[in-house]
């Protein structure tokens, strides 16, 4: 099957060279670039950097109820015991909740927000569905960091995502500042694929959601990319939106500040890029980490 | 003995309230404030914030030889085995070197740089000596962070420093940016003393130089101070200088960037504030952590 040809070999025994991505970053073409919520210069910026920051995209009052809903979930023992909920090491605070759009109708509606969905369709060139959604939360003083990685590298090898035709939309549920562990990105890194060394163990995700050890790019490749255009960490108020390409290298530091940090992530994938068998040869991850059945094209919530 | 009265009780069994510092921040008075390298507005800023950033204080070429000297020391097995040298966990990189001014003539000369020494004398109101000197180095990708603390809290309880009449001068040996683990400070925190809970074990410094567990302020007190005036992390090029009060709360995050970070610290203490017996009742720490014999007033190196 053509779909199963592996254009991004990774998790190999020996170190392989980095190479240019095969797909474009913006998947709509010609005049289509002008049909959508993003202006031409915003599309150009996303194409060049691999991410785009939209300060105050949602008004604060639209965001607050979500943060309250997260608090309520943290207190609900039935929710806390679900597989989709990853607690922190001492089990008092929620670190991540997956499949947010299936646990909460409000989150589901937001994935179909016309402007947000329109941007995803514009960048990815047509219909999209939610590959994964999650909240990442870092409590004040205690939230841990996350090492450099490309989401696509994991989604390709562990979920069977064939091509680079997916983006993440990250909505800030709290203010993000320089001290509460904001997302750091390497501009331009989305244009290179960094194959990673090491075989994927079965059920690797049980470990990797807490601390990623397989699928971590080598330091030399990260340094080469970071030395070209530096590192950026967009910060701003709750309601701001960060769009980033599936292959943009990103990381985050621990939260040493007293201020909690919570961000919502929706991963939009093109319907022409639905999942195949995982390219690392492992069993597929659970549906809430990579949608395999629930992958119907989204329609805007007018 | 009057000198041994403990005006800053800490390391107690039960939590005690924070209280205002007893000493002024600027120890020269009246007209004296104008006699020295710092301008009146710089002194005011230091007094208000508890720190002062001087971008590009030393030219780059004056700094580079020190960084090279550190590299040479890291390769010298005789130096690496000294007590003053703290290696990182996997013993390949130097994390800290203490008593730099006794290991290296160049560092010794720099402690007596007329401008630098003049600032210390101006802030501390008269003659000063070096209580401690060190390099803190964080390798790219691997340098760990350091939790919130007041240096004075340790110097008082473990070294017997009676009063808040000491400052640190930190000279950047590499560029410090938002991503290589720069020092974070809480402006205004120098005006409050936060007593810490917990008895000091013998030889606590063997542990605390790697990761501080005793002498860590409670999170509520840190949050209260940070919520007043926020957190700041001055960044800039190699050669920049940060002066900060002995009681200013500071911390630093891990270095997730590829870029190493190395900063030199000289702690100047007033000759009228020489060490007494440690107020926590433990044995004094080694001479290279808190000078007890080598505490003669410095004279400028003209």
């Amino acid at each position: 099957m053509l779909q199963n040809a592996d254009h991004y070999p990774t998790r190999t025994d020996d170190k392989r060279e980095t190479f240019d991505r095969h797909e474009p970053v913006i998947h709509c073409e010609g005049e289509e670039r002008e049909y959508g919520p993003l202006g031409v210069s915003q599309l150009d910026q996303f194409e060049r950097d691999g991410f785009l920051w939209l300060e105050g995209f949602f008004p604060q009052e639209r965001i607050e109820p979500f943060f309250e809903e997260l608090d309520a979930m943290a207190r609900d023992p039935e929710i806390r015991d679900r597989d989709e909920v990853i607690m922190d090491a001492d089990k008092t605070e929620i670190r991540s909740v997956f499949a947010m759009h299936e646990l909460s109708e409000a989150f589901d509606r937001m994935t179909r927000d016309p402007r947000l969905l329109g941007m995803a369709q514009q960048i990815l060139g047509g219909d999209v569905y939610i590959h994964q959604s999650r909240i990442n939360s870092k409590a004040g003083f205690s939230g841990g960091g996350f090492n450099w990685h490309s989401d696509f590298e994991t989604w390709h090898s562990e979920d069977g995502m064939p091509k680079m035709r997916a983006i993440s939309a990250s909505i800030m549920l709290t203010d993000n500042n320089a001290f509460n562990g904001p997302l750091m990105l390497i501009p331009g890194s989305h244009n290179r694929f960094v194959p990673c060394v090491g075989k994927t163990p079965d059920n690797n995700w049980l470990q990797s959601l807490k601390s990623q050890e397989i699928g971590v790019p080598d330091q030399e490749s990260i340094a080469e990319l970071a030395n070209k255009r530096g590192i950026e960490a967009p910060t701003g108020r709750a309601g701001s939106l960060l769009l980033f390409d599936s292959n943009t290298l990103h990381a985050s530091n621990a939260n040493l500040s007293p201020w909690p940090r919570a961000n919502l992530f929706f991963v939009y994938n093109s319907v022409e890029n639905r999942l195949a068998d995982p390219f690392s040869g492992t069993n597929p991850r659970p549906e809430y980490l990579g949608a395999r059945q629930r992958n119907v094209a989204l329609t805007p919530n007018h």
Side-chain angles (χ1 to χ4, degrees), chain A:
Chain A
M1 259 176 69
L2 190 63
Q3 194 194 8
N4 282 326
D6 186 355
H7 300 294
Y8 293 100
T10 182
R11 317 275 173 115
T12 47
D13 290 336
D14 53 320
K15 171 67 194 141
R16 304 206 182 170
E17 293 296 306
T18 66
F19 57 85
D20 283 343
R21 69 187 284 155
H22 304 305
E23 296 81 25
V25 179
I26 308 293
H27 294 262
C28 63
E29 283 174 28
E31 278 186 4
E32 281 176 39
R33 284 175 82 110
E34 289 170 35
Y35 302 152
L38 291 170
V40 171
S41 73
Q42 289 176 310
L43 276 185
D44 288 349
Q45 199 178 326
F46 185 91
E47 191 167 34
R48 183 193 67 210
D49 296 342
F51 64 91
L52 181 68
W53 174 256
L54 297 150
E55 176 78 26
F57 183 80
F58 287 116
Q60 195 103 12
E61 59 270 22
R62 181 125 179 244
I63 292 306
E64 270 159 18
F66 291 104
F67 198 43
E68 286 157 17
E69 192 159 338
L70 185 66
D71 271 350
M73 288 168 74
R75 285 189 302 269
D76 180 342
E78 259 187 59
I79 294 274
R80 290 169 48 145
D81 282 350
R82 292 181 72 117
D83 289 345
E84 292 91 332
V85 178
I86 316 291
M87 301 300 288
D88 68 4
D90 61 5
K91 303 211 170 181
T92 56
E93 307 265 5
I94 288 182
R95 184 183 166 102
S96 299
V97 183
F98 286 89
M100 282 305 302
H101 66 300
E102 298 190 348
L103 295 176
S104 149
E105 208 194 309
F107 282 100
D108 176 53
R109 271 199 309 276
M110 191 179 257
T111 63
R112 295 178 284 109
D113 173 89
R115 275 197 306 163
L116 198 52
L117 179 55
M119 290 176 180
Q121 290 169 332
Q122 191 180 7
I123 291 172
L124 300 175
D127 279 340
V128 299
Y129 68 95
I130 295 291
H131 168 66
Q132 181 192 95
S133 78
R134 68 184 188 279
I135 278 188
N136 281 355
S137 176
K138 289 184 185 187
F141 292 118
S142 59
F146 222 87
N147 221 330
W148 293 106
H149 64 285
S150 147
D151 288 334
F152 176 77
E153 196 276 344
T154 292
W155 298 338
H156 180 73
S157 54
E158 299 191 29
D159 294 336
M161 184 181 285
K163 296 181 179 177
M164 293 184 187
R165 197 170 175 178
I167 61 163
S168 288
S170 175
I171 298 152
M172 316 291 130
L173 294 187
T174 60
D175 293 354
N176 276 233
N177 61 49
F179 308 110
N180 65 355
L183 204 72
M184 307 188 285
L185 308 108
I186 299 180
S189 60
H190 62 307
N191 287 321
R192 298 288 288 177
F193 183 72
V194 183
C196 300
V197 173
K199 199 171 169 325
T200 313
D202 284 333
N203 301 325
N204 180 45
W205 51 275
L206 289 172
Q207 162 65 30
S208 69
L209 298 183
K210 288 175 185 156
S211 167
Q212 190 163 357
E213 285 166 21
I214 299 293
V216 175
D218 62 296
Q219 295 185 350
E220 199 184 334
S221 300
I222 299 170
E224 199 182 312
L225 289 162
N227 284 330
K228 274 187 197 157
R229 295 198 36 213
I231 297 174
E232 292 184 26
T235 55
R237 63 183 187 277
S240 298
L241 171 67
L242 176 72
L243 300 174
F244 62 101
D245 184 86
S246 63
N247 191 45
T248 306
L249 287 181
H250 58 285
S252 70
N253 220 326
N255 181 7
L256 293 191
S257 85
W259 311 304
R261 192 212 75 157
N263 295 338
L264 179 59
F265 291 80
F266 299 140
V267 181
Y268 294 98
N269 189 28
S270 166
V271 294
E272 295 174 44
N273 194 35
R274 287 192 172 103
L275 303 186
D277 292 337
F279 289 94
S280 67
T282 47
N283 290 329
R285 302 197 297 173
E287 181 77 14
Y288 62 84
L289 294 178
R292 213 163 265 284
Q293 273 92 48
R294 296 176 201 149
N295 56 10
V296 177
L298 299 176
T299 51
N301 159 44
H302 285 296

